[in-house]
Amino acid sequence: MSAPSTPKALRIRKAAVLGAGVMGAQIAAHLSNAGVETVLFDLAAKEGPKSGIALKAIANLQKLSPAPLADKTVAATIIPANYDEDLDHLKDVDLVIEAIAERMDWKLDLYKKIASHLSPTAVIASNTSGLSINGLAEALPEEMRHRFSGVHFFNPPRYMHLVELIPTKLTDKNVLEGLEAFLTTALGKGVVYAKDTPNFIGNRIGVFSMLATMHHTQQFGLGFDTVDALTGPAVGRPKSATYRTADVVGLDTMAHVIKTMADTLADDPWHQYFKAPVWLSALIEKGALGQKTGAGFYRKAGKDIVVLDVAKQDYRPSEQKASDEVAAILAIKDPAEKFGKLRASADPQAQFLWATFRDLFHYSAYHLADIADTARDVDFAIRWGYGWKLGPFETWQAAGWQQVAGWIAEDIAAGKAMSNAPLPAWVTDGRTGVHGKNGSYSASANADKPRSQHPVYQRQLFPDPILGEKFDQGTTVWENEGVRLWTLGDDGVGIISFKTKMNTVNDHVLNGVQQAIDVAEQQLKAVVIWQTGEPFSAGADLKGALGLLQAGKFDDFDAMVANFQATSMRIKHSLVPVVSAVRGLALGGGCEFQMHSARTVAALESYIGLVEAGVGLLPAGGGLHELAIRAAKANPEDPFESLKKVFETVAMAKVSGSAMEAKQLGLLRDSDVVVFNAYELLYVAKKVALSLAETGWRPPMMARNIPVAGDVGTATFQASLANLAEGYFASPHDVAIATRIADTLCGGKIERGSLVDEEWLLQLERKHFVELAKTEKTQARIAHTMTTGKPLRN
């Protein structure tokens, strides 16, 4: 088979976002996160600076949670603009994304206004969530239409993986393929092609699911909090479930999307349900629009959350739990048995759940041919856009395709389903599902279609799997109980993956990493530490550590800490380069391992921190020793200057909100690489490891003359700690921990400017760690964190 031809690259140096509302401003933020110079346009302000609306939106980005900016300094790179004075900016823009309000007439007017200012190669896209892309294209001059498409981001754009790409009849294939590569690699997104139908795929199926849930809430007389208990993590969906999600989205926005469906889908067999329930309209009339107004289905009453009770027309305390019978059914591991029991149960909650799934499956199957190319596109759109663990077709297939199809058909015949539209013939043609070894089913083509052959996906060695998909697990080179060293392909790069829960670090992992590096030095060119799933590592195994402390086995505890340090040093001084590929949490020992690697390649969504102070300890896997060495290198005359920032990071157990912020905090180096798409992480890390090997990698030599800040440095840090203690911002034990952190970073009780070696710093780190671990208060903190998952302030 010949290799796929590479599409013409879409080089995007500069972008413009039209519309500085919630979505527009956050899309601009994410483009800027990715290093794309971005101009944010809005209407000219009537008072103050002409670009005041855009300026205000940019300032607001720094206040939003979750943060749209991967690093607050990015806000300063966004250029505020207005349509009256700044259309000249458009002449050298490579990509324009329109994100104004969902009004066809406003969008068409704006396109006419900007068209003459665009360069002849600019790619133009609309972020509409449901208007006709072909209809919008008509406002553009004919010579621009082949460069126009829909590019629909989901909210919040930085975090939601899904982007729907909607071509018009005329969109150039090269433009689409270039956009797909840019969205995937540069912005880190999962691209799904959607047909030009109202609300596309994600919102068409997702909003229908919410409407079906609302209909059955009423039918079975359930409380909103009960429904949220049933439609959240219990069925593999986000904690915000149904009604909490509606509050977050905004009830007015929800009603608008429902109205769009009613207005544009007159022939849909489910059309009678495309209307806001009475209680939703009543809340909107009162101005209770959800989270943004402080009340919706839920509101806060002091510290408590209260929920709307429709019968009482008032709020009551939220109970949010499933009945015992339904909780037991939902705990069943086998999906076929679980769905069978839900359907057979007389419990109204079970009947409610079966009904919502039945109608979702029915609707998805009925519309598959007209809304999406394959069932895979529907499942990915719902998983990536709504945060479900499995999409509707995957859920159905896992529960036994023909069994469930028979039940749906029975319910349609009995008049129990929301619509009497028949199931499409392909559903009952003897198939066992829609996902199989030949790909995923396309109802419009009546054939199974494999994954896209676009070259960008060759960078995803382990893409997000659809139900039943298996990828090459590589060849094991060596393993023990804690880690596996394996290879993928014949490039000579070994991969070390941990086998522990949350990839925590225990003795098996410590010994395993050291031995795996021994093997790699004999047989391989380079090594990547990469986990087959998130997180990178939640740090040391606290249970094992606490056990040794409580049993009074302090020598064993000291040996464990020494072994931790030995592992970090083995990573650092390996004769083959060791690259850490980080995504998700990299805490404590996990953070220390990546600090000692030759290089770290981190996914943008990496949350990195030395968090030991939170459990009453200090980093002792070599983390403080490494920070002291870096400070000395950065500023040999006065290492204290470089220690100021990292001291605060460690003493306050700060965790970065992104890989970019980890650089600001001093936990990643400037030379470390940030990758936006987590599915490309292993590919990039292997390339980085190989390039280090090919350039004749030699590990750093043991440092012997490290200048330190000494007792003067420690005293300066102590002065700032005294202020915190006086203001009751830090407990005496917090101060004791922070003092030991300061003493280690500054090289101990020696003169400022003294020269020490690495072993001195490691011993100091270990001494303070063991002494802290022996204290009652630290042991109480460790135990509390293990049982509650929260830090104890004592």
Side-chain angles (χ1 to χ4, degrees):
M1 200 174 86
S2 61
S5 60
T6 305
K8 204 166 149 219
L10 189 63
R11 302 285 181 213
I12 293 176
R13 188 184 299 279
K14 188 174 181 181
V17 177
L18 312 179
V22 175
M23 282 300 281
Q26 292 196 56
I27 291 168
H30 197 57
L31 284 162
S32 303
N33 288 338
V36 177
E37 186 181 14
T38 304
V39 189
L40 180 60
F41 279 89
D42 211 301
L43 298 167
K46 292 187 170 64
E47 291 167 15
K50 271 283 179 85
S51 296
I53 296 173
L55 277 164
K56 193 173 170 191
I58 295 165
N60 194 46
L61 288 170
Q62 306 201 41
K63 300 175 197 156
L64 292 177
S65 176
L69 300 164
D71 158 14
K72 284 201 165 140
T73 61
V74 168
T77 67
I78 305 172
I79 303 163
N82 68 83
Y83 303 123
D84 287 7
E85 302 171 323
D86 300 316
L87 290 177
D88 248 16
H89 268 301
L90 294 174
K91 69 178 185 297
D92 56 352
V93 155
D94 306 304
L95 172 66
V96 177
I97 298 176
E98 168 271 306
I100 67 167
E102 290 289 87
R103 286 236 340 228
M104 188 68 114
D105 53 342
W106 290 0
K107 289 180 191 282
L108 297 178
D109 283 349
L110 182 57
Y111 295 180
K112 285 172 187 152
K113 182 181 244 177
I114 64 163
S116 61
H117 296 270
L118 295 173
S119 87
T121 55
V123 171
I124 311 124
S126 174
N127 180 57
T128 176
S129 58
L131 296 176
S132 165
I133 301 298
N134 283 291
L136 289 170
E138 284 168 17
L140 290 168
E142 221 156 289
E143 69 274 12
M144 289 187 183
R145 292 181 193 174
H146 69 285
R147 290 182 272 121
F148 177 75
S149 66
V151 171
H152 178 219
F153 288 82
F154 273 60
N155 191 18
R158 173 183 155 189
Y159 300 93
M160 296 314 285
H161 192 56
L162 178 65
V163 171
E164 291 176 315
L165 189 51
I166 311 100
T168 70
K169 298 185 197 92
L170 302 171
T171 314
D172 185 308
K173 185 168 173 278
N174 278 334
V175 167
L176 289 169
E177 290 187 343
L179 261 177
E180 187 173 2
F182 170 75
L183 291 164
T184 303
T185 292
L187 299 189
K189 297 297 161 200
V191 173
V192 166
Y193 278 81
K195 296 185 180 182
D196 189 12
T197 53
N199 288 2
F200 313 126
I201 302 173
N203 283 339
R204 180 75 176 270
I205 300 295
V207 173
F208 174 79
S209 176
M210 288 183 89
L211 284 169
T213 303
M214 288 177 173
H215 168 70
H216 292 304
T217 300
Q218 218 160 345
Q219 186 190 359
F220 292 101
L222 301 180
F224 301 128
D225 50 345
T226 302
V227 170
D228 277 357
L230 297 171
T231 59
V235 291
R237 297 182 193 170
K239 278 201 299 230
S240 54
T242 302
Y243 292 104
R244 234 172 249 276
T245 297
D247 273 354
V248 172
V249 168
L251 304 192
D252 50 343
T253 306
M254 185 80 200
H256 174 77
V257 175
I258 295 169
K259 186 177 182 312
T260 303
M261 287 178 81
D263 293 348
T264 53
L265 296 166
D267 299 332
D268 192 302
W270 284 261
H271 185 267
Q272 69 186 81
Y273 299 100
F274 299 166
K275 58 178 190 286
V278 177
W279 27 262
L280 180 61
S281 305
L283 283 168
I284 293 167
E285 270 170 43
K286 279 186 196 156
L289 306 179
Q291 197 169 283
K292 58 189 169 189
T293 58
F297 291 109
Y298 295 91
R299 69 177 168 81
K300 251 188 150 176
K303 284 187 177 173
D304 299 321
I305 300 283
V306 291
V307 64
L308 180 68
D309 186 317
V310 175
K312 293 181 182 162
Q313 290 288 301
D314 200 1
Y315 289 87
R316 60 167 171 77
S318 171
E319 288 152 10
Q320 200 158 0
K321 75 188 263 302
S323 70
D324 292 346
E325 184 186 334
V326 170
I329 295 173
L330 290 177
I332 295 168
K333 287 277 185 284
D334 174 23
E337 186 189 344
K338 186 186 316 195
F339 271 87
K341 291 211 159 139
L342 282 176
R343 185 166 190 264
S345 169
D347 187 311
Q349 293 184 14
Q351 292 176 349
F352 158 83
L353 273 174
W354 160 249
T356 55
F357 275 110
R358 173 200 65 214
D359 292 320
L360 169 66
F361 297 160
H362 186 189
Y363 192 81
S364 302
Y366 185 88
H367 285 298
L368 176 58
D370 37 282
I371 65 169
D373 187 34
T374 69
R376 180 175 47 242
D377 297 327
V378 173
D379 283 340
F380 278 154
I382 293 296
R383 270 165 49 175
W384 296 344
Y386 281 76
W388 295 13
K389 281 208 173 92
L390 291 177
F393 288 119
E394 289 177 296
T395 308
W396 180 351
Q397 184 168 328
W401 185 270
Q402 287 303 337
Q403 168 179 271
V404 172
W407 292 338
I408 298 170
E410 279 174 33
D411 281 10
I412 294 170
K416 291 180 180 174
M418 284 168 73
S419 165
N420 60 7
L423 279 170
W426 60 264
V427 170
T428 50
D429 64 5
R431 65 179 53 250
T432 53
V434 287
H435 304 300
K437 60 181 188 305
N438 297 324
S440 296
Y441 184 66
S442 168
S444 51
N446 191 26
D448 288 338
K449 291 193 176 181
R451 279 179 176 265
S452 164
Q453 290 302 298
H454 191 306
V456 77
Y457 299 116
Q458 291 170 8
R459 298 168 60 86
Q460 298 188 12
L461 304 179
F462 290 89
D464 195 357
I466 204 82
L467 186 74
E469 246 181 336
K470 295 276 186 285
F471 304 110
D472 180 0
Q473 298 302 302
T475 306
T476 301
V477 178
W478 178 88
E479 65 184 322
N480 73 347
E481 276 184 61
V483 310
R484 175 184 179 226
L485 171 67
W486 53 289
T487 54
L488 189 66
D490 55 4
D491 56 6
V493 179
I495 301 162
I496 294 176
S497 301
F498 299 176
K499 297 179 180 182
T500 47
K501 190 179 176 186
M502 296 283 284
N503 299 317
T504 51
V505 181
N506 60 16
D507 285 337
H508 296 303
V509 171
L510 294 172
N511 297 333
V513 169
Q514 292 177 54
Q515 282 179 260
I517 291 173
D518 289 346
V519 173
E521 286 179 340
Q522 302 301 318
Q523 300 178 26
L524 299 163
K525 293 181 187 174
V527 169
V528 170
I529 302 176
W530 178 79
Q531 314 297 8
T532 53
E534 287 187 21
F536 177 72
S537 173
D541 168 24
L542 286 177
K543 191 177 173 190
L546 187 62
L548 292 175
L549 292 172
Q550 287 174 334
K553 294 182 176 173
F554 296 116
D555 287 350
D556 291 354
F557 185 77
D558 187 45
M560 185 192 79
V561 181
N563 199 23
F564 221 121
Q565 292 182 336
T567 307
S568 290
M569 298 305 279
R570 189 74 190 87
I571 290 170
K572 183 173 182 174
H573 296 287
S574 163
L575 290 171
V576 292
V578 179
V579 169
S580 287
V582 174
R583 56 182 167 166
L585 295 172
L587 304 178
C591 175
E592 288 172 302
F593 284 172
Q594 67 80 24
M595 287 174 74
H596 287 83
S597 305
R599 196 78 86 250
T600 295
V601 178
L604 177 71
E605 299 309 333
S606 293
Y607 312 114
I608 303 173
L610 292 168
V611 294
E612 287 82 353
V615 289
L617 293 164
L618 51 73
L624 295 181
H625 126 282
E626 185 62 22
L627 289 172
I629 291 171
R630 289 183 191 179
K633 270 189 190 159
N635 208 337
E637 296 305 310
D638 185 9
F640 185 77
E641 279 310 301
S642 298
L643 289 175
K644 280 185 199 163
K645 183 170 67 180
V646 292
F647 170 70
E648 189 179 306
T649 298
V650 181
M652 293 178 72
K654 284 185 182 177
V655 177
S656 72
S658 72
M660 285 161 69
E661 197 187 331
K663 288 191 176 192
Q664 299 282 331
L665 293 175
L667 299 170
L668 285 180
R669 298 156 289 203
D670 286 342
S671 58
D672 290 331
V673 178
V674 178
V675 171
F676 271 58
N677 195 319
Y679 295 109
E680 296 183 355
L681 182 67
L682 180 58
Y683 172 88
V684 177
K686 288 182 85 183
K687 293 288 187 200
V688 168
L690 264 180
S691 74
L692 289 170
E694 297 295 349
T695 48
W697 162 259
R698 292 295 305 169
M701 293 170 81
M702 288 291 275
R704 289 195 169 76
N705 293 310
I706 306 161
V708 292
D711 48 11
V712 176
T714 306
T716 313
F717 283 134
Q718 278 179 299
S720 62
L721 289 171
N723 293 336
L724 284 174
E726 267 179 43
Y728 300 105
F729 294 114
S731 71
H733 196 51
D734 289 332
V735 173
I737 298 159
T739 302
R740 289 177 185 271
I741 290 169
D743 187 67
T744 310
L745 285 171
C746 295
K749 293 177 176 53
I750 53 176
E751 277 187 33
R752 181 181 191 162
S754 297
L755 300 177
V756 301
D757 60 16
E758 289 195 51
E759 191 48 46
W760 170 276
L761 291 170
L762 288 168
Q763 281 181 5
L764 190 58
E765 187 182 85
R766 200 159 69 240
K767 172 178 92 78
H768 281 310
F769 184 86
V770 174
E771 284 173 6
L772 272 173
K774 288 177 178 175
T775 66
E776 202 180 302
K777 288 198 166 170
T778 283
Q779 290 182 27
R781 284 192 181 193
I782 296 172
H784 186 270
T785 301
M786 277 173 54
T787 49
T788 67
K790 296 188 173 88
L792 170 71
R793 294 296 300 280
N794 58 356

